[in-house]
Amino acid sequence: GVTHRPDLPLQILAGPGSGKTKVLTSRIAYMVLHHGMDPSSICAVTFTNKAANEMRARLVKLIGKDNVNKVKLGTFHAICALFLRKHGTSVGLDGNFTICDSDESKRIVTKLLKPYEDFLSSKDIQVNASTLCSLISRAKSKGETPEDVMPCKEGRHVSSKAAFSKSTNEDFQRVFAEIYRDYEKTLRKSNSLDFDDLLLFGVRLFSQHPRYAAWCQHILVDEFQDTNAVQYELMCCIAAASRCVTVVGDPDQSIYGWRSADITNLGKMQNDFPNVTQIMLEQNYRSAGSILATSLAIISQGELYRHTSRIAKILHTDHQLGPLPMLCSFPTEHDEASFIAWEINRMIAQSGGMLGFGDFAVLLRFNAISRTIENALQKEGIPNRMLGGHQFFERAEIKDILAYLQLVDNPQFEPAFSRAINTPSRGIGEKSLGEILSRAQKLGISPLTLVERIHNSIIPDLKPSVKRKVQSFVNVMRSLRSSATDGMEPAQLIGKLVELIGYQEHLKKSQPDWDTRWENVQELINFAIILVRFFLDKPFNRLHRDTTPLRQFLQASMLSSAGDQSNENDDEKVSIATCHAAKGLEWPVVFVPAVEQGTFPFYRTDDIHEERQVYHFIYLFVLTRSIRRLLYVACTRAQTSLYLTHTLKRKVAGVFKPRDLSEFISKICSNCPVSYFCETGGRHHA
C-alpha cells in the first residue's frame, strides 16, 4: 500500500491493530521523498484531533517539521473551517463566523419548539429538542434541506418520519421542516455554523469554486468506514482535479450508523473511481492469537445470514496463542463488578510490577452500566477514569469564558450574548433578556449593538430599565474588543477578562467546587498559549490573514474532540469507557461486562437513531449486525487478556430481571467444535 503509485486511487481494508496510521504516514512520506510531491499538495483527513496529532508527530520523524507544516492535515471539519475562513465570502459567509456547539444548537431548537408544543400535544406527538437536533443533523448529513423534508410531495419518505405512526407523520414532518428552516435562519442571522454546516458549506465551496481545491494532488482519508454521504462528497470535491485518493478503513469496525456513517461508501468509491485498487492489511500486531480468533468468530456470524455484504478478511498474528479469553457468569451485576475489581488487583499483584492500573480497561455497551463497576473499584481502592465523559470544553466555566471571546470575534452571535450578559449576575432576568432579543430583532441589529446604544442613550431604554445593569457588561466588551484589535493574544485576553468580571470571586460565591473550576480556567489559558505558539509556527496558517490568533483559538476550542485534553496523570488509572469511545485505543487487559441479550444486541432504540422505514425484521437485522461490530471492536482492544462477563439476572428500573448470554457468544460456543473461551461461573470469587 505504501508504494502504490500516487497518481492512482487506492482502498486499504485494514483490520484492527494492523498499522493503519503507519501505512498512511509512510505513504505520505513515500510521496514526498520518492516522488518529489510538494507536501502542500497533500491532504490527510482524520476523524479526531488526537489521531491528527499522532499522525503529525510520526510524519515529523519521517519528512521533517517544515514539510509536515505544509501538509493539510486534520479532521474534515477543521479542513473545511480553514478554507471557509479564507474563502467563505464565495458561499455567503463572513470570515468571522462562529462554530455553534451541540449545546447551543439544542438551546436554539428548544426555543423554536415552544410555539409548536400545544399543537404537537393535541396530535399526541411527543418530541424534545434533543431528538429534533438529531433529526436535523441526520438530514444535513444526507444533504437534505428544510425544503427537502417538507411533506409537500406525495409519497416522500425521509428519515425524520421514522419516529411516528402514519397518522401523525405529515403533521410532525411539517413541524420538523419549519423548525429546521427557522433553525437555519437563526444560525445565518447570528453568523454561525453548526458542525454539520462546516461540511455542507465546505462541499458548496469546493464544488462551486473548484479552483479552491486545485492545489490537492492526493487526499488520504483515515477511518473511511465512518464517513457519511456529505463527507464522501467532500472527499470527491477535494479530489476532483487529481482523482487521486487513498482511503484506509475496516467495514467490520463501522459502528457509527447512528451518526449517519455509510458503510456503502466503499462501493461508491469503486464506481466513482473505476481504476481504484483494493488491498488488504490482514496481519494484527496488537492482540494474542486467541483474542483474534474469538473476535473473528464473533464478526463472522454475519456471514451466516443471506444478503449480508460483509467483505471477508483472514486476519492473522505472529503473537502466541496466549490464554483463552475468559467467559464469566455471575448471579448479579454486583457480583460481576466485584469480580472485575478483585481480578484487577489479583493480576497486578501476580505480575510482579509488569502491570499497572493503566493497563486495564472496562468497556461498556452504554454508560448506565458504569455505576456498579465504579462503586466496586472505589471500594477496592482502584483509581479509575471515565473516557469520553464530560469533556473539557463542555464545562460551564469554560463555556462562560468562551462566550465573551466569541462575542468579541463575532458580535452577531446571539447565544454567546445570552450567556455572557448575565455571567456574573447583573440582575438581568429572563424577561429582560427576552425584551433585549426581541427589540434587537425588530431593529435588525445584534443584541450587543442594542445594549451599547442603550448605554450611549442613542436609543430609548427598555422597561424595566436595563441601562444601569448593562453598563459593566458594555465596558467589559469594549475593553476586550480594543485589546483584541490591538493584537492581544487569547491567553492574555482570558486573563484580562477574568479580572474585569471578577470571575474567581463569582465562582467562590456560586460553586462549591470553585477551586477545581478555577483550575480549569487556568488550564484554558495554558491551552491558548500552546495553541497560538503552534499555529503561529505554521507557515500555512500565517498565509491566512483572516484567521486571527483569537479566531484560531476559538475554532480549535469548538472542534476539540474527545481525548484531546487527556491528563497524563490519568495514565495510571483503570479506564472505563463505552465501546464507541474506545475505538482506536488498546490495553493489555480488557473487561467487557453485560455480554447479554438486551445489551449485545440492544433492542431499545431510545439512544440509537436508526432508520425505522424498513420492516421490523430487517431493522432488527441491521441493528444486530451493527452491534455485533461494536462487540468486535471492544474485543480487539485487548492485547493479551480478554474477559467477557454476564449475569443471570440484572436490576432494571429497580426490579431484577433474568438475563441470557448474548447470542453473539452463545452461537459461536454451540456452532463450533473448538471452544473459544475458558468458561467460569465466577464462584471462586465468592
Side-chain angles (χ1 to χ4, degrees):
V2 171
T3 58
H4 185 76
R5 284 176 52 182
D7 59 340
L8 294 175
L10 175 65
Q11 282 186 348
I12 302 174
L13 302 189
S18 59
K20 293 188 287 291
T21 302
K22 183 175 182 179
V23 169
L24 282 180
T25 52
S26 298
R27 183 152 171 76
I28 292 172
Y30 183 78
M31 291 176 183
V32 173
L33 299 178
H34 292 269
H35 288 272
M37 287 181 62
D38 186 342
S40 64
S41 69
I42 297 173
C43 180
V45 184
T46 66
F47 268 78
T48 65
N49 294 325
K50 185 175 182 179
N53 292 336
E54 182 180 350
M55 188 178 293
R56 184 176 288 110
R58 293 191 188 189
L59 276 172
V60 167
K61 297 177 181 178
L62 297 175
I63 61 175
K65 185 176 180 180
D66 291 342
N67 281 330
V68 174
N69 285 343
K70 296 175 184 177
V71 176
K72 281 78 164 179
L73 196 165
T75 64
F76 275 113
H77 295 86
I79 288 173
C80 285
L82 186 66
F83 282 87
L84 289 172
R85 291 292 183 198
K86 185 175 184 182
H87 307 296
T89 53
S90 299
V91 287
L93 290 177
D94 292 332
N96 67 329
F97 64 83
T98 300
I99 300 171
C100 184
D101 68 14
S102 55
D103 284 345
E104 298 299 349
S105 293
K106 186 177 177 180
R107 288 191 182 94
I108 294 170
V109 171
T110 298
K111 183 178 179 181
L112 295 175
L113 176 60
K114 286 188 180 298
Y116 296 95
E117 286 178 344
D118 290 341
F119 171 76
L120 292 172
S121 180
S122 70
K123 299 290 184 179
D124 198 26
I125 299 173
Q126 295 183 351
V127 66
N128 56 36
S130 294
T131 299
L132 288 172
C133 285
S134 296
L135 294 174
I136 289 172
S137 178
R138 198 171 184 83
K140 288 188 176 185
S141 70
K142 296 180 179 180
E144 295 175 342
T145 66
E147 291 71 27
D148 292 330
V149 301
M150 183 68 75
C152 58
K153 292 182 180 179
E154 187 175 353
R156 170 174 287 159
H157 297 284
V158 294
S159 58
S160 50
K161 287 185 181 179
F164 304 96
S165 65
K166 290 182 179 179
S167 61
T168 59
N169 272 347
E170 189 170 324
D171 290 328
F172 169 75
Q173 194 67 20
R174 183 172 289 106
V175 170
F176 166 61
E178 290 175 2
I179 290 176
Y180 181 10
R181 178 198 62 203
D182 293 340
Y183 170 75
E184 289 295 276
K185 288 181 179 179
T186 302
L187 291 181
R188 299 297 90 77
K189 182 182 175 183
S190 293
N191 186 28
S192 59
L193 303 178
D194 64 19
F195 295 131
D196 296 301
D197 285 332
L198 285 172
L199 304 181
L200 289 169
F201 275 85
V203 168
R204 193 176 304 174
L205 176 69
F206 292 127
S207 61
Q208 295 179 1
H209 306 278
R211 65 183 182 278
Y212 295 138
W215 53 268
C216 183
Q217 292 184 30
H218 203 106
I219 178 172
L220 303 95
V221 182
D222 193 14
E223 303 289 2
F224 186 68
Q225 76 281 350
D226 293 331
T227 54
N228 60 32
V230 173
Q231 288 164 333
Y232 178 79
E233 186 177 358
L234 182 60
M235 179 195 79
C236 292
C237 289
I238 295 176
S242 67
R243 307 294 295 165
C244 294
V245 180
T246 295
V247 303
V248 178
D250 181 5
D252 288 339
Q253 296 186 68
S254 179
I255 58 175
Y256 291 111
W258 52 284
R259 290 183 185 171
S260 301
D262 189 351
I263 198 171
T264 64
N265 283 344
L266 282 165
K268 289 179 185 176
M269 182 179 169
Q270 291 178 341
N271 291 329
D272 295 337
F273 298 82
N275 56 343
V276 65
T277 299
Q278 186 180 86
I279 65 173
M280 305 276 193
L281 293 185
E282 298 181 314
Q283 180 162 356
N284 177 287
Y285 297 95
R286 174 189 299 151
S287 303
S290 60
I291 294 174
L292 192 60
T294 299
S295 303
L296 279 172
I298 291 171
I299 197 63
S300 297
Q301 289 177 69
E303 298 171 3
L304 300 176
Y305 297 92
R306 299 177 66 186
H307 311 301
T308 184
S309 57
R310 177 177 177 265
I311 302 173
K313 295 188 297 297
I314 305 173
L315 299 182
H316 58 89
T317 179
D318 288 340
H319 292 312
Q320 294 181 351
L321 188 65
L324 286 174
M326 294 285 290
L327 179 59
C328 308
S329 173
F330 301 95
T332 70
E333 66 265 32
H334 297 288
D335 301 293
E336 177 186 53
S338 296
F339 168 76
I340 291 173
W342 177 84
E343 186 69 359
I344 289 173
N345 276 335
R346 184 192 70 81
M347 293 186 74
I348 290 176
Q350 290 192 355
S351 71
M354 302 249 332
L355 290 174
F357 290 120
D359 295 318
F360 294 82
V362 183
L363 305 185
L364 316 172
R365 172 63 185 86
F366 38 79
N367 279 323
I369 303 172
S370 69
R371 184 181 60 83
T372 307
I373 293 171
E374 289 181 81
N375 289 342
L377 295 177
Q378 184 177 10
K379 184 178 179 181
E380 293 295 328
I382 297 175
N384 60 86
R385 59 170 177 165
M386 176 65 75
L387 293 182
H390 199 51
Q391 295 179 36
F392 182 76
F393 289 104
E394 293 176 353
R395 299 180 185 277
E397 60 274 17
I398 301 303
K399 282 180 170 290
D400 289 344
I401 303 302
L402 294 180
Y404 277 92
L405 300 182
Q406 287 169 337
L407 209 52
V408 170
D409 186 55
N410 176 13
Q412 303 295 324
F413 192 46
E414 182 182 301
F417 174 86
S418 298
R419 187 178 191 107
I421 186 69
N422 214 29
T423 304
S425 176
R426 297 183 175 93
I428 300 173
E430 288 295 323
K431 185 176 180 180
S432 295
L433 178 59
E435 287 291 330
I436 292 172
L437 299 179
S438 177
R439 173 82 74 88
Q441 184 175 8
K442 290 177 181 177
L443 295 176
I445 58 178
S446 72
L448 179 58
T449 300
L450 175 74
V451 297
E452 288 195 80
R453 291 181 182 179
I454 291 175
H455 174 267
N456 293 340
S457 300
I458 296 175
I459 60 177
D461 196 358
L462 298 173
K463 293 183 180 180
S465 176
V466 299
K467 184 174 182 178
R468 178 183 56 81
K469 297 176 181 177
V470 301
Q471 179 178 353
S472 63
F473 175 70
V474 170
N475 289 337
V476 167
M477 291 307 304
R478 287 178 172 174
S479 179
L480 292 174
R481 187 187 304 147
S482 175
S483 296
T485 302
D486 291 341
M488 182 178 285
E489 292 188 357
Q492 296 171 296
L493 274 176
I494 296 171
K496 180 175 182 177
L497 165 62
V498 296
E499 183 177 347
L500 286 174
I501 65 176
Y503 194 69
Q504 185 176 17
E505 289 302 312
H506 162 68
L507 290 176
K508 286 182 179 179
K509 293 177 182 177
S510 61
Q511 303 296 337
D513 58 343
W514 70 268
D515 50 344
T516 300
R517 292 175 183 266
W518 181 245
E519 287 177 6
N520 289 335
V521 174
Q522 303 308 304
E523 183 59 32
L524 182 67
I525 294 175
N526 292 336
F527 174 80
I529 292 172
I530 294 171
L531 186 90
V532 170
R533 285 177 181 171
F534 172 76
F535 275 98
L536 289 181
D537 191 43
K538 291 189 72 174
F540 181 67
N541 285 281
R542 288 202 298 269
L543 296 175
H544 289 248
R545 297 177 181 176
D546 293 330
T547 305
T548 65
L550 174 59
R551 197 165 297 157
Q552 189 67 64
F553 164 74
L554 290 172
Q555 180 170 302
S557 301
M558 290 299 100
L559 296 183
S560 179
S561 54
D564 293 339
Q565 296 84 39
S566 60
N567 190 329
E568 290 183 2
N569 295 328
D570 286 345
D571 290 343
E572 288 309 311
K573 296 180 180 180
V574 173
S575 297
I576 303 175
T578 63
C579 299
H580 284 102
K583 192 163 181 290
L585 304 176
E586 59 184 37
W587 294 268
V589 185
V590 168
F591 294 85
V592 184
V595 185
E596 304 152 5
Q597 290 294 100
T599 307
F600 288 100
F602 183 49
Y603 289 130
R604 286 181 56 209
T605 56
D606 301 281
D607 63 342
I608 308 171
H609 305 294
E610 292 280 354
E611 295 280 359
R612 296 193 187 183
Q613 295 170 295
V614 288
Y615 292 108
H616 186 63
F617 174 80
I618 301 176
Y619 164 68
L620 288 181
F621 167 67
V622 172
L623 181 57
T624 299
R625 190 170 60 180
S626 175
I627 299 176
R628 182 185 292 109
R629 291 196 293 262
L630 193 61
L631 181 57
Y632 171 73
V633 167
C635 292
T636 54
R637 301 310 94 196
Q639 295 172 315
T640 58
S641 298
L642 173 65
Y643 291 78
L644 303 181
T645 66
H646 66 104
T647 64
L648 301 180
K649 58 182 179 179
R650 188 175 294 273
K651 188 172 285 188
V652 180
V655 179
F656 275 111
K657 294 188 177 181
R659 282 287 192 246
D660 294 323
L661 179 62
S662 166
E663 64 184 68
F664 300 155
I665 305 301
S666 61
K667 284 184 177 178
I668 63 174
C669 289
S670 60
N671 292 339
C672 302
V674 179
S675 175
Y676 287 102
F677 300 99
C678 177
E679 297 189 57
T680 173
R683 288 185 295 274
H684 67 280
H685 171 57

